[in-house]
Amino acid sequence: MSSRPFELAGSPLFVAEGIFAAEIVEECRRRGLLAGAYALRRPRGTTFVRRLARDLAEQRKAPRVLFRRGLALLRAEPAVLRRQAGLGARPAPAREVLRRVADLLAGHPHHH
């Protein structure tokens, strides 16, 4: 694992997103930097269709390969969500995550 420093430059808030964001939840909590940690909980079928449409549009691999990859990711999704929850991220629908981030930006923290 590699690391690199980053400066907040006076910002009151930073957002880490992506599949590995949950990896830093505990360290941020330990340092008193955690305002919230969420894992997107989306309908799996919707995610599958969106991912497949995007991947087919990008044409980086054969459609059969993309479909198989999409199915594998669909099956793995519950385990990924469980792992993120185990690292301290709270599963929530996108609408709720966006609302909570907007509240934080507006200065109305909800520490969850």
Side-chain angles (χ1 to χ4, degrees):
M1 181 192 285
S2 67
S3 65
R4 67 174 182 263
F6 69 99
E7 293 293 324
L8 294 179
S11 295
L13 191 64
F14 73 94
V15 175
E17 66 85 26
I19 190 87
F20 298 112
E23 304 289 335
I24 66 170
V25 169
E26 191 49 47
E27 183 64 18
C28 287
R29 181 177 285 124
R30 191 181 70 73
R31 293 179 183 219
L33 299 174
L34 188 68
Y38 307 97
L40 278 184
R41 188 178 64 222
R42 286 197 163 127
R44 290 167 61 202
T46 302
T47 302
F48 171 78
V49 170
R50 283 181 179 163
R51 181 185 293 126
L52 187 60
R54 180 200 65 204
D55 290 349
L56 288 171
E58 291 177 0
Q59 297 182 341
R60 292 187 184 170
K61 293 188 170 103
R64 187 177 68 252
V65 171
L66 295 174
F67 187 79
R68 280 200 316 257
R69 175 182 169 267
L71 279 179
L73 291 169
L74 178 76
R75 286 192 292 267
E77 198 167 310
V80 170
L81 202 55
R82 279 194 305 275
R83 182 172 190 285
Q84 291 172 331
L87 290 169
R90 192 163 86 64
R95 182 178 296 135
E96 181 181 334
V97 173
L98 291 172
R99 188 176 62 243
R100 291 187 184 282
V101 170
D103 286 347
L104 287 168
L105 289 170
H108 308 294
H110 297 287
H111 293 281
H112 284 285

